[in-house]
Amino acid sequence: MTSSVGKNLFYQSLFQGIRILMPIVTIPIISKALGAHGIGIYSFTNSIAEYFILLSGLGITLYGNREIAMVREDKEKLNKTFSELISLKLVTTAVSFILYSVVVVVFLHRDFLYYIIQSLHIIAVLFDISWFFMGMEDFKKVSLSNLAVQTVVFFGIVFFIKDYSDLPLYLLLQALGNLFSQLVMWGFIYKKISFRFVPIKQMMRHLFPMVAYFFPQIAVIFYTTLSKTILGVLESQTAVGIYTNTLNLSTIIITMISTINLVMLPKMSNLFSKNKIDEINKTLHSLIHAQLFISIPAAFGVSALAATLVPWFFGNDFEVLKVFVPIIAPVIIIMPIGIAISNQYLLPRGNTKIYAFSTFGGAAISILLNFTLIPLLGVLGSVITSLIVETFVTVFRLIYLNKQNKFTFDSRLIFKMVVSAAAMAGTIKLTTNGMDDNFVTTLVQIVIGAVTYGSCSVALKIPYLKDLFVVLKEKFYHSKRYKVKN
């Protein structure tokens, strides 16, 4: 791993790590204070805003990252590309905000205040230049800026969100946190770039390539956010709250596992531009199996912890999550694989067609299953739909990847991981059976699980744990040498 990738991975891991630790504190607070109905209102109104947030961004996060990475060594081209993309985003954001305002005023009279607050997320898209720093492989500023703002939001939730009446304040904290996290980054860019407004004709050269990235993201919204919208319309906002918290644990873990995908995108784009196919295939193979080393025990672990975790973590409104969380847990394994293929192979290669096919196929299945299963099964229908759709998307991408470069899984290695994870889950259940539903029990279960999985990994000679110890040992050794020398 190169020095720049290592540093970027550190800063992204730091930010994502904090993003994981904060919800561990805030989710219980929010769940107990706002209840399923309050969380449902937030999620449902946010799902409406998400469509216009997507339109405002128009695929720039991935496209802009790639474009900046390709011209970052040419100052003139860098300035030109950045100016064109920002100018175009100003237009798309203005159009999106106007359309959102019309929809809210004409169709969404209920919860009007909440929709007004959610509109701040659309404005935040205009100021989002994280794609620039990602393309420059400068993740430090993005990570630390977001971390600072998220810390303020975190303490705002901890100290001020007490009951259902604080729902507007909670929405405002989330929206302002998002807006200010984007504004802060502009303080770092003036040294790197010279911005100037460009003629419409000049900026429009990016429109159709951006749309190629935009359409697959529409499909992603259809099989993620649309589930909340349909559930809210066909069932209730309370049902949306239950569905949202069902996904929360899995989403947190997937976010952490997939951190390296975002960091590696510029590097993989660079490798594709140099046609280093062997290195690309080797990197992708290593990345997916390293993710599985974490995702497989995570999925087994969440399932094993659900019965004792849900009551104290989510509160009385969410008892049904004891059943729902184990059902959705396999996405912890499935989703990171699909994300890795798209971010490390399809997008750096510029192959948005297969990316689009997989996401639009998932969207079609999501719409069909949601309208079929929600009237029959309620929230469970949405949970089952999410699992089926994510499986389809990942399998579709795997089939294509296998055709292109004969990608294969190391079945023996994965079998060892599954055996270790199953032994871990069984040990957790046996040793903590009958313990109270509280934080201490969950902590004990996590420690038992980590020790069991680690021990099994060593016994079965799974290489990743040993590699981690070697890296840490080398870092410690070099750190000691540096301190002695100086």
Side-chain angles (χ1 to χ4, degrees), residues 116-132:
I116 292 175
I117 297 173
Q118 296 285 12
S119 70
L120 293 174
H121 290 288
I122 301 174
I123 298 173
V125 176
L126 173 61
F127 299 101
D128 179 11
I129 51 173
S130 59
W131 47 270
F132 172 81

Side-chain angles (χ1 to χ4, degrees), residues 226-405:
L226 188 62
S227 295
K228 297 176 183 178
T229 306
I230 296 173
L231 190 60
V233 172
L234 297 183
E235 285 286 312
S236 65
Q237 291 177 329
T238 300
V240 177
I242 292 171
Y243 174 71
T244 299
N245 267 356
T246 299
L247 300 181
N248 268 338
L249 284 177
S250 299
T251 301
I252 290 171
I253 297 169
I254 291 166
T255 299
M256 188 60 181
I257 294 171
S258 300
T259 296
I260 193 171
N261 286 306
L262 199 58
V263 174
M264 292 295 291
L265 178 56
K267 177 181 173 64
M268 294 294 273
S269 296
N270 191 267
L271 289 175
F272 270 108
S273 69
K274 297 176 180 177
N275 202 34
K276 295 184 177 180
I277 303 301
D278 289 339
E279 188 173 349
I280 289 166
N281 294 339
K282 183 179 179 181
T283 301
L284 183 60
H285 189 273
S286 299
L287 173 63
I288 288 177
H289 285 83
Q291 287 182 339
L292 287 170
F293 178 70
I294 302 171
S295 64
I296 290 174
F300 276 85
V302 165
S303 300
L305 267 61
T308 53
L309 173 68
V310 166
W312 72 264
F313 193 73
F314 291 107
N316 296 330
D317 278 5
F318 299 95
E319 282 287 320
V320 71
L321 266 64
K322 290 181 180 179
V323 176
F324 291 168
V325 167
I327 292 173
I328 201 65
V331 301
I332 297 173
I333 302 171
I334 296 165
M335 277 189 68
I337 298 173
I339 294 170
I341 295 171
S342 64
N343 284 14
Q344 310 309 324
Y345 191 82
L346 298 179
L347 297 180
R349 197 180 183 209
N351 194 337
T352 55
K353 185 177 179 181
I354 296 300
Y355 179 70
F357 281 163
S358 65
T359 50
F360 274 107
I365 294 171
S366 177
I367 294 171
L368 177 64
L369 290 181
N370 270 313
F371 278 109
T372 302
L373 296 181
I374 289 175
L376 297 174
L377 302 173
V379 180
L380 180 59
S382 285
V383 173
I384 293 172
T385 296
S386 295
L387 179 59
I388 292 173
V389 168
E390 294 298 347
T391 302
F392 167 82
V393 170
T394 295
V395 169
F396 187 96
R397 292 173 183 174
L398 274 171
I399 292 171
Y400 174 79
L401 181 65
N402 184 55
K403 288 181 179 179
Q404 291 297 306
N405 66 4

Side-chain angles (χ1 to χ4, degrees), residues 78-120:
L78 182 65
N79 290 335
K80 181 174 180 289
T81 300
F82 178 81
S83 297
E84 290 169 347
L85 291 174
I86 286 294
S87 298
L88 180 57
K89 193 159 70 155
L90 176 61
V91 175
T92 59
T93 302
V95 171
S96 180
F97 189 84
I98 291 170
L99 290 174
Y100 176 80
S101 301
V102 171
V103 169
V104 169
V105 170
V106 175
F107 300 107
L108 302 172
H109 303 292
R110 184 182 176 186
D111 300 325
F112 187 73
L113 173 62
Y114 302 137
Y115 287 110
I116 292 175
I117 297 173
Q118 296 285 12
S119 70
L120 293 174

